[in-house]
Amino acid sequence: QVQLVESGGGLVQAGGSLRLFCVASGRTFSPYTMGWFGQAPGKEREFVAGISQSGGSPYYTEPVNGRFTISRDNSKNTVYLQMNSLKPDDTAVYYCAASRRLPARTLPEYDYWGQGTQVTVSS
């Protein structure tokens, strides 16, 4: 089992920035592809960004490409999501997830999930 705990969400104005954190515990963190998903009110949970076990080859959904950056520090069992130039449409609960597959973009490909952190972007 891998336990994931997200933090760093909050309320920010459009154009602002936030940095999300996801700390893993339990099994060794480094063998897993890590991803971030967002779930807006009334919508399905959607893929946002993913990163390979080594930290190379990050990949993103098109709406956040160039604004969000995913990274990881395996020595700290932590994955990050730097969110810049935030828009009201980015408002969602953001979930961290771990997968044994690479790449992994869909919910069924991820094996472990955190509880989520709320990001609210005001206009």
Side-chain angles (χ1 to χ4, degrees), residues 21-123:
F21 302 80
C22 173
V23 178
S25 61
R27 287 190 174 182
T28 303
F29 172 72
S30 56
Y32 292 91
T33 294
M34 298 301 296
W36 286 97
F37 286 72
Q39 186 165 16
K43 296 187 178 180
E44 294 184 351
R45 195 173 301 186
E46 297 181 335
F47 173 79
V48 173
I51 192 165
S52 67
Q53 296 91 332
S54 67
S57 306
Y59 50 102
Y60 305 91
T61 188
E62 181 56 33
V64 309
N65 206 12
R67 299 189 297 123
F68 291 8
T69 302
I70 187 172
S71 60
R72 66 190 293 166
D73 185 340
N74 288 342
S75 69
K76 297 181 179 179
N77 288 353
T78 302
V79 62
Y80 309 93
L81 185 68
Q82 179 67 42
M83 311 169 74
N84 297 331
S85 302
L86 282 161
K87 305 175 181 180
D89 284 349
D90 296 321
T91 295
V93 177
Y94 284 81
Y95 296 88
C96 171
S99 172
R100 297 182 180 92
R101 302 159 186 83
L102 177 69
R105 292 179 176 268
T106 65
L107 274 70
E109 294 178 296
Y110 283 83
D111 305 291
Y112 302 103
W113 293 85
Q115 294 300 305
T117 185
Q118 176 72 48
V119 172
T120 303
V121 184
S122 63
S123 57

